[in-house]
Amino acid sequence: MAIQGMDTGARPSARMRELTPAQRRAVMFAQQQVLRAKAAKKAKNERQAALNRMWSQEDSDSRLRSDARVSGEDGQAVRQVSLREAIGHVLRDLRTRDRKTLREISERAGVSLGYLSEVERGQKEASSELLGSIAQALGVSTAQMLRMVADYLDSVEE
């Protein structure tokens, strides 16, 4: 027997007994919606936490890459960076600073996700029109982006 005033969960509460069957279904539906919303919020928070971990990992990786420039005995950089690689480096740096995903930028620029990824990795050479649309999607002008590329090349060659 249930103690008076406490809901054991085995039987509907006094309020639920007073409801019509349609009202009970509506209450149960609302409860299910609340549970679904909580589950969706939890999943969203987990995705955001995973993204934050990915961003912090990528930030530390980029710092390690920039710190790991190998130099010769006379202080000159041993490895030459191609223009294609420099452009890719700057594009990725701009994107990660704004915490944007490849998908977001590729959709804004009208470029396929895979192609943008290859451009960022320095595996593909992008046309000037394509570079302009990517720069615009990143919120900079083509001239600003090219200045950043020149600055990056200067810093690598020093």
Side-chain angles (χ1 to χ4, degrees), residues 32-107:
Q32 290 172 346
Q33 292 298 97
V34 167
L35 291 174
R36 285 187 186 125
K38 285 180 180 178
K41 184 176 181 181
K42 181 180 177 184
K44 179 182 176 186
N45 290 340
E46 289 172 353
R47 282 192 306 271
Q48 188 61 46
L51 259 178
N52 289 340
R53 284 192 303 275
M54 179 190 73
W55 288 118
S56 65
Q57 179 66 35
E58 195 168 299
D59 286 346
S60 65
D61 288 349
S62 67
R63 271 190 238 109
L64 286 175
R65 279 193 302 265
S66 65
D67 292 344
R69 289 190 197 114
V70 180
S71 57
E73 291 179 21
D74 59 351
Q76 294 293 332
V78 173
R79 183 174 178 271
Q80 288 288 333
V81 176
S82 71
L83 180 59
R84 183 179 66 224
E85 292 171 328
I87 290 171
H89 174 81
V90 168
L91 292 177
R92 178 167 291 186
D93 190 48
L94 285 169
R95 180 179 60 79
T96 56
R97 279 188 199 167
D98 289 343
R99 303 229 184 266
K100 301 290 184 199
T101 63
L102 275 169
R103 185 173 307 281
E104 290 171 323
I105 300 303
S106 69
E107 289 172 358

Side-chain angles (χ1 to χ4, degrees), residues 102-156:
L102 275 169
R103 185 173 307 281
E104 290 171 323
I105 300 303
S106 69
E107 289 172 358
R108 282 189 202 161
V111 178
S112 76
L113 182 98
Y115 192 78
L116 179 59
S117 173
E118 289 178 329
V119 169
E120 279 192 1
R121 288 181 280 144
Q123 295 177 341
K124 294 279 185 181
E125 292 207 25
S127 68
S128 57
E129 292 85 8
L130 184 66
L131 286 175
S133 64
I134 294 170
Q136 185 179 9
L138 290 166
V140 296
S141 70
T142 307
Q144 289 172 319
M145 189 262 305
L146 290 174
R147 280 188 213 105
M148 291 175 179
V149 171
D151 291 342
Y152 173 72
L153 286 171
D154 282 343
S155 72
V156 169

Side-chain angles (χ1 to χ4, degrees), residues 7-18:
D7 185 15
T8 61
R11 294 184 305 180
S13 67
R15 284 190 178 169
M16 283 295 280
R17 284 190 297 245
E18 295 170 4

